[in-house]
Amino acid sequence: SAVISQKPSRDICQRGTSLTIQCQVDSQVTMMFWYRQQPGQSLTLIATANQGSEATYESGFVIDKFPISRPNLTFSTLTVSNMSPEDSSIYLCSVATSGEGEQYFGPGTRLTVT
Amino acid sequence: EDQVTQSPEALRLQEGESSSLNCSYTVSGLRGLFWYRQDPGKGPEFLFTLYSAGEEKEKERLKATLTKKESFLHITAPKPEDSATYLCAVQAGNYGQNFVFGPGTRLSVLP
């Protein structure tokens, strides 16, 4: 399994601002993903972060709101743009070493928008 | 549309009282079913992968089983440290790593 870290671990932000969340993995991985977990809810996939190309977004999520970068095989960022209180959630990155099999998750970033 | 449901929503057990959690799924072409444990304020921790009906996996007090329609997570003689939310996820379709998560079961084990 991979060791995954996220920064920041938590933040409180003002409405209308943006926050960039970093995800760092201790080894090169093929696939990285970003999830959202709203309070008391399960995980919803936002997008797949592709190395060297644009991210692939799930229905209901758009690049203008959640721009993603993946400059190499160990690092990715997710930006939450023009935030509103509805964006208050835990944001999680995960990795997989292949197209099949389990994903491993980071510790999450708890975002509160006021 | 792929769907995953879990029951019960919450479960309270006395220490040592064995029970089972259920994960039911409706997917087109199951490629894998995954169980995770999530503690408050933390990311999900991987427990098991099941690929085909009849498969079983065990780890300490936990055993996961899989049929064509559902999976069970059996907890034998649980301890308070087993208290967590247990999530199942499915990977389906012909391609892609996309997981669909169930809503989870919140397990509390009382001493």
Side-chain angles (χ1 to χ4, degrees), chain A residues 37 42 98-103, chain B residues 31 36 38 43 49 91 97 102:
Chain A
Q37 187 173 29
S42 193
S98 73
E100 303 291 335
E102 60 271 13
Q103 295 180 15
Chain B
R31 290 160 53 210
Y36 288 84
Q38 187 174 27
T49 305
Q91 186 180 38
Q97 244 276 354

Side-chain angles (χ1 to χ4, degrees), chain A residues 4 6 12 14-16 39 43 47-48 50-51 71 75-77 85 107:
Chain A
I4 305 163
Q6 287 186 233
I12 301 173
Q14 297 287 328
R15 179 196 299 260
L43 282 73
T48 301
N50 302 309
Q51 195 266 332
F75 185 79
S76 178
T77 66

Side-chain angles (χ1 to χ4, degrees), chain B residues 39-60:
Chain B
D39 293 298
K42 296 188 176 181
E45 174 190 348
F46 169 71
L47 294 174
F48 301 112
T49 305
L50 301 166
Y51 288 110
S52 56
E55 190 175 359
E56 298 183 354
K57 294 276 181 71
E58 284 190 68
K59 179 181 179 180
E60 296 180 355

Side-chain angles (χ1 to χ4, degrees), chain B residues 72-107:
Chain B
F72 291 93
L73 185 65
H74 307 278
I75 303 176
T76 302
K79 299 181 178 181
E81 53 262 42
D82 294 322
S83 298
T85 296
Y86 291 85
L87 300 166
C88 75
V90 298
Q91 186 180 38
N94 293 322
Y95 62 92
Q97 244 276 354
N98 298 358
F99 278 20
V100 176
F101 277 85
T105 293
R106 292 192 314 277
L107 174 65

Side-chain angles (χ1 to χ4, degrees), chain A residues 21-41:
Chain A
I21 302 168
Q22 299 179 5
C23 178
Q24 179 75 52
V25 189
D26 69 340
S27 58
Q28 294 187 343
V29 292
T30 306
M31 311 184 78
M32 295 181 77
F33 308 88
W34 287 98
Y35 287 82
R36 181 173 73 183
Q37 187 173 29
Q38 295 181 301
Q41 304 295 314

Side-chain angles (χ1 to χ4, degrees), chain A residues 61-83:
Chain A
F61 297 96
V62 295
I63 187 171
D64 290 346
K65 176 67 175 177
F66 297 101
I68 287 171
S69 77
R70 180 146 185 221
N72 56 52
L73 293 175
T74 63
F75 185 79
S76 178
T77 66
L78 169 75
T79 299
V80 186
S81 303
N82 188 25
M83 288 183 285

